[in-house]
Amino acid sequence: MSYMTYKTYTKKFIRNFNFSNPNWENLPNGFPNLGKQGLTRQEGCLLDAIKLAWMTGELEGRKSLLLNTTRVFLLVSAIVVIGTLGLQLLRSPENTFTTVNAATIKVDDVIQSTMSAILKR
C-alpha cells in the first residue's frame, strides 16, 4: 500500500468513525501507532480520541495501555535509581571506595632486626 493510499484510508477511517457505536474491525494498519503526518489538526485530534477510546474500551487496548505505562514506569524508575546512585557517588567518594594502606618495609630495617635477633642469642 502506497503512502498516499495509506493516508487516504486513514483519513477516511477517521472521518467515518462512529464514537457512539465504534467498529474496531476495520482499524488501519499500524493502529494505534499511527503517525499524524499528512493529517490536519482536527484529524490528528480525532485520531487521538479514537486511540483513547480504543485503549479504554477494548481488552487489547487496555493491554497496550498497561504495557506502555509499565515500560515508561520502569524507564523512569531506572533513571531515578541511576541518578541517585550517581549523585551519591559524586557527593561522597571517600565513603564509597575502600582504600588499602600497604605497609612499606625497608630492606635495611629487615636486615637490622634480623641481625639484632641473631646477636641477642
Side-chain angles (χ1 to χ4, degrees), residues 92-108:
S92 57
E94 66 276 353
N95 295 335
T96 57
F97 297 108
T98 56
T99 58
V100 177
N101 294 328
T104 57
I105 302 173
K106 294 181 181 178
V107 176
D108 291 338

Side-chain angles (χ1 to χ4, degrees), residues 9-113:
Y9 179 75
T10 303
K11 286 180 176 236
K12 183 179 177 186
F13 170 76
I14 292 170
R15 186 175 50 249
N16 295 332
F17 188 78
N18 183 0
F19 280 97
S20 60
N21 187 18
N23 180 9
W24 302 113
E25 300 299 321
N26 299 324
L27 295 173
N29 289 337
F31 188 85
N33 300 319
L34 296 174
K36 294 183 185 179
Q37 307 89 305
L39 300 178
T40 65
R41 184 174 179 188
Q42 183 180 10
E43 289 170 338
C45 291
L46 285 172
L47 180 61
D48 287 340
I50 293 168
K51 289 178 186 179
L52 181 62
W54 179 75
M55 285 184 192
T56 57
E58 292 294 303
L59 178 62
E60 190 175 332
R62 287 190 298 266
K63 286 180 184 178
S64 173
L65 181 63
L66 179 64
L67 179 66
N68 289 339
T69 304
T70 304
R71 188 177 299 140
V72 169
F73 174 76
L74 290 175
L75 179 65
V76 169
S77 298
I79 290 171
V80 168
V81 167
I82 291 170
T84 303
L85 291 175
L87 285 175
Q88 183 68 23
L89 185 77
L90 291 174
R91 285 187 180 162
S92 57
E94 66 276 353
N95 295 335
T96 57
F97 297 108
T98 56
T99 58
V100 177
N101 294 328
T104 57
I105 302 173
K106 294 181 181 178
V107 176
D108 291 338
D109 294 338
V110 173
I111 294 174
Q112 286 179 4
S113 63

